[in-house]
Structure formats: C-alpha cells, structure tokens
Amino acid sequence: QVQLVESGGGLVQAGGSLTLSCVASGRILSINTMSWYRQAPGKQRELVATITSGGSTNYADSVKGRFTMSRGNAKNTVYLLMNSLKPEDTAVYYCRGWIVSTTIASTYWGQGTQVTVSS
C-alpha cells in the first residue's frame, strides 16, 4: 500500500508565500514523476507543476516564475514553494505520483490540502 500525504496549506494574503509538502510512504521501490495539481470550486483539476526522477521540472504558464517544485533529499518528498500568491491560486492542491511498489506500478493521489489566498 502506497500513500501520499500533503501538508502546508492554509490561508494567506495576496502576495504572500506558502510551501506545500507531499510525502510518499509504503512499500515503495521507486518514485518516478511527481506532480502537483489543483482544483478550484466549480473548475476542473489542472496540472500545476511536474518533476521527473531526474529533477527536471515543468510548470503551468499561470504559475511560472512564482512557483517552484523540488524534491527532498530523501526522494520520497516533494515540495511546492508558492510565492507572490494571487486570489486565483485558491484551490485544493493535490500531489500525484507515478510509483513502483512491491506489487504494482501505478499512479497515486494524495487527499489534498486547501490553499486560500485572500485579496
């Protein structure tokens, strides 16, 4: 069983910063691409940022230059540093990972963490 657990969400004023964390646990053999998605009320879930096992990153145009995704030294943790936050960044943020466990290679999702940016 593999689990992804996000943390770090909260309420912040526009222009502020937050750092989200996502920790993968379980019988993991390898962790490949990890991503952050977000879903605002009434909208579809959208891809925010991706990091490969080699450390290459890609970002949605709406967050380029403001958000930075990185991996921790333990490789089972990813972070999303969010600067210059805007009200339109308000959403539930989800971590997604392509993970090889002892039984299966599959995509896993975390439960989400709420980010609210006030104007």
Side-chain angles (χ1 to χ4, degrees):
Q1 185 75 11
V2 173
Q3 286 188 322
L4 298 180
V5 179
E6 304 100 333
S7 62
L11 173 64
V12 63
Q13 287 188 331
S17 299
L18 281 174
T19 299
L20 306 183
S21 302
C22 173
V23 179
S25 62
R27 297 184 176 185
I28 296 171
L29 295 179
S30 65
I31 298 175
N32 299 308
T33 300
M34 298 287 288
S35 302
W36 286 98
Y37 284 74
R38 66 186 182 186
Q39 187 166 20
K43 295 188 177 180
Q44 289 189 331
R45 191 172 296 189
E46 63 174 350
L47 177 63
V48 175
T50 296
I51 189 166
T52 68
S53 57
S56 297
T57 54
N58 281 289
Y59 301 93
D61 287 343
S62 59
V63 306
K64 277 181 183 176
R66 300 189 298 121
F67 289 11
T68 302
M69 186 173 184
S70 61
R71 285 185 181 267
N73 291 331
K75 304 297 182 185
N76 68 327
T77 303
V78 292
Y79 303 97
L80 185 67
L81 170 60
M82 305 184 294
N83 291 324
S84 302
L85 282 162
K86 304 175 181 180
E88 52 263 43
D89 295 317
T90 295
V92 178
Y93 284 71
Y94 297 91
C95 177
R96 176 182 181 267
W98 175 253
I99 296 172
V100 180
S101 72
T102 55
T103 57
I104 193 172
S106 183
T107 297
Y108 296 88
W109 289 88
Q111 82 289 348
T113 186
Q114 176 71 46
V115 172
T116 302
V117 184
S118 63
S119 57

